[in-house]
Amino acid sequence: ALSRTIREIIGKTASSWGIFVEAILINELKFSKDLQTDLSSVAKQLRLGQSKVIAAEAEVQSARLMREASDFMNTPAAIQIRHLDTMLNLSLIHICRCRRIERCRSRWSPYH
């Protein structure tokens, strides 16, 4: 876009000389420190804004999943599974009778 604009500006004068500007190659642009700081600040704010949007979308998705989980966990079958899981954990504690319950759970639990 910048090279096209420059080519149009230069092309007007060059065409009066009988020269056609075919392409413009820009090797290096130097910006003032103030402009560099401003551009950097804008880019930083843009990234920050995008990260906030991503975080907000993740929160919405998380809330939807939590709602689905709560709906599922309210079924009689899910309540029965939770009850049986609690009974299993209590029986493992009783069977192990040791200080390292976690070690015993990993040895006896079907989930590990």
Side-chain angles (χ1 to χ4, degrees):
L2 181 60
S3 63
R4 188 179 322 131
T5 305
I6 293 172
R7 183 175 38 175
E8 289 172 2
I9 294 170
I10 293 174
K12 290 177 186 176
T13 305
S15 65
S16 66
W17 298 337
I19 300 172
F20 175 72
V21 177
E22 189 174 306
I24 300 287
L25 176 64
I26 301 171
N27 285 336
E28 186 176 332
L29 291 175
K30 292 187 178 183
F31 297 114
S32 67
K33 292 291 182 191
D34 292 338
L35 183 57
Q36 287 178 8
T37 304
D38 290 345
L39 291 173
S40 173
S41 176
V42 167
K44 186 176 182 179
Q45 291 300 320
L46 182 62
R47 286 191 304 271
L48 181 62
Q50 290 171 342
S51 70
K52 286 183 179 181
V53 168
I54 291 169
E57 289 172 350
E59 286 290 327
V60 168
Q61 186 177 6
S62 175
R64 283 188 187 134
L65 290 173
M66 295 285 270
R67 175 59 192 238
E68 288 176 18
S70 71
D71 290 344
F72 173 76
M73 295 302 284
N74 258 345
T75 64
I79 293 171
Q80 180 68 24
I81 290 171
R82 284 189 296 183
H83 175 74
L84 292 173
D85 186 52
T86 302
M87 296 301 290
L88 173 67
N89 285 330
L90 289 174
S91 65
L92 288 175
I93 292 170
H94 181 71
I95 290 170
C96 289
R97 290 191 186 249
C98 65
R99 292 185 184 168
R100 295 304 231 154
I101 300 296
E102 294 304 318
R103 185 181 67 207
C104 292
R105 279 193 187 149
S106 66
R107 185 174 40 194
W108 292 97
S109 177
Y111 303 117
H112 293 81

